[in-house]
Amino acid sequence: MHVVLAGGGTAGHIEPAMALADALRRHDPSIGITALGTEKGLETRLVPERGYQLELIPAVPLPRKPTPELITVPGRLRGTVRAAQEIIERVNADAVVGFGGYVAMPAYLAAKRAGVPIVVHEANARPGLANKIGARYTDFVAVSTPDSKLRDSRYIGIPLRRTIATLDRNATRPEARQYFGLDQRLPTLLVSGGSQGARRLNETITAIAPRLQQYGVQILHAVGPKNELPQVADVPGMPPYRAVPYVDRMDLAYAAADLMLCRAGAMTVAELAAVGLPAAFVPLPIGNGEQRLNAQPMVKAGGGLLVDDAELTPDWVLQNVLPVLTDPQRLWDMSRAAAEFGRRDADDLLVGMVYEAIQAHRGGRRRG
């Protein structure tokens, strides 16, 4: 059996695809897996690092919403669809699984032409254009949130890395805090704006860090590899402030933390819910508002706080984040609420959908 995965461009598309690839291989080590991508996407690094075959196709940017520009897409897509179809037929694909983004649209169209069954996974609460179209061609649509707008979809969550999906935060905390040079006893705030960092979060936490330390809070701050590290000196008797360019071991960062200050990308929200780590979400203020929608279910469940980017100030952190960090009972309650919302088995559930789609296709039941 051979499965083609279409989830290039950003880590939010690539990581679920790689988590599915790992799960497929756990179920059947002999399965063939090919990932589609473009030369400009993060997949050129992330996919080979995970040991999977990557095939590149031309990138065709898609408008976020239906606009007059949309009518030019078919013409620009023709060559890309042909390239994707050649790959699908060359590897003799049994299924194409798409995760949205630039790569997914041509993959869906190519799979439809080649008569190969399609599975769609949508990570965001507000689906993108590629997945809206892909969902028309299949009965097998998986979503990350129970109130998704994609019709006839199944709520499974987001496929996660096994190091995250199987993480026991309490058991791993001593190792994690030692790894980052943190105190074993102090409340810990983890700050990260994603793989590239976030200026608003960085500036806010740098400004308020001394006050948080005075209240007994230690900080692990991933500023982003392209951002300047704050110059912070350890003061005897004060809680640590660990500023790093990037965190490779997010499982240990989650285990070390009691609360996270972060953006609200779909993958971040899913990981935090799965491991039961409460968060103060600061949705990215650009795009179509999907980050706010991503965070809302976990916030409504009691597992997080939500603040607009423009309203994130040092005073807001003092008034809203500090009281949580210094209240063990509230931290425990929020952690439990986040964990109840989380899904750890989405990778295995999506594997089941892939097999189901292939069997339905072989039995003659397919859409489109």
Side-chain angles (χ1 to χ4, degrees), residues 220-244:
L220 174 59
H221 182 187
V223 303
K226 296 182 180 179
N227 297 317
E228 185 177 350
L229 282 173
Q231 299 302 310
V232 181
D234 279 335
V235 178
M238 291 286 281
Y241 176 12
R242 300 283 180 251
V244 297

Side-chain angles (χ1 to χ4, degrees), residues 10 83 90 112 159 171-172 192 211 217 257 274 293 323 325 329 332 335 360:
T10 67
R90 172 160 42 88
K112 186 172 185 297
T172 310
S192 174
R211 294 288 303 278
V217 174
L293 294 175
L325 279 166
Q329 183 61 49
W332 189 87
S335 176

Side-chain angles (χ1 to χ4, degrees), residues 1-3 94-95 117 353-363:
M1 190 168 83
H2 201 110
V3 177
D94 293 279
M353 287 185 69
V354 172
Y355 278 96
E356 189 181 345
I358 292 171
Q359 290 301 318
H361 179 80
R362 290 173 178 170

Side-chain angles (χ1 to χ4, degrees), residues 54-244:
L54 175 66
E55 295 279 356
L56 300 180
I57 60 177
V60 178
L62 302 174
R64 282 182 170 268
K65 301 177 181 179
T67 66
E69 183 187 359
L70 186 60
I71 64 174
T72 70
V73 169
R76 291 184 287 125
L77 269 176
R78 288 193 187 98
T80 300
V81 173
R82 281 197 299 271
Q85 186 174 348
E86 288 173 2
I87 295 166
I88 289 169
E89 292 177 343
R90 172 160 42 88
V91 302
N92 195 24
D94 293 279
V96 170
V97 186
F99 295 83
Y102 295 168
V103 177
M105 175 78 87
Y108 296 145
L109 297 176
K112 186 172 185 297
R113 284 186 181 181
V116 173
I118 296 168
V119 178
V120 172
H121 183 276
E122 176 57 61
N124 285 300
R126 178 171 285 162
L129 180 62
N131 279 352
K132 285 181 180 178
I133 292 176
R136 298 176 183 176
Y137 302 148
T138 180
D139 296 315
F140 302 94
V141 180
V143 295
S144 66
T145 180
D147 54 357
S148 173
K149 304 304 181 187
L150 284 178
R151 64 191 180 92
D152 300 327
S153 58
R154 302 185 203 175
Y155 166 46
I156 69 165
I158 300 180
L160 303 175
R161 289 168 287 177
R162 294 300 287 175
T163 54
I164 302 296
T166 61
L167 177 65
D168 183 330
R169 286 178 55 233
N170 290 331
T172 310
R173 182 167 294 124
E175 172 196 351
R177 291 194 172 177
Q178 182 177 16
Y179 179 87
F180 291 109
L182 297 168
D183 190 287
Q184 293 290 344
R185 300 161 298 170
L186 296 177
T188 305
L189 176 65
L190 170 62
V191 182
S192 174
S195 59
Q196 299 305 312
R199 179 177 296 179
R200 170 74 71 171
L201 274 63
N202 289 345
E203 292 176 349
T204 300
I205 207 62
T206 301
I208 200 60
R211 294 288 303 278
L212 295 177
Q213 291 171 287
Q214 289 173 5
Y215 282 100
V217 174
Q218 62 186 346
I219 302 164
L220 174 59
H221 182 187
V223 303
K226 296 182 180 179
N227 297 317
E228 185 177 350
L229 282 173
Q231 299 302 310
V232 181
D234 279 335
V235 178
M238 291 286 281
Y241 176 12
R242 300 283 180 251
V244 297

Side-chain angles (χ1 to χ4, degrees), residues 10-57:
T10 67
H13 292 135
I14 301 164
E15 286 296 341
M18 293 296 93
L20 174 62
D22 292 344
L24 285 165
R25 283 277 170 86
R26 287 198 309 273
H27 283 261
D28 180 1
S30 69
I31 194 169
I33 295 172
T34 299
L36 295 181
T38 71
E39 62 182 10
K40 296 182 179 181
L42 289 176
E43 61 269 21
T44 57
R45 175 175 62 86
L46 296 180
V47 172
E49 282 180 357
R50 297 287 281 271
Y52 295 107
Q53 176 186 358
L54 175 66
E55 295 279 356
L56 300 180
I57 60 177

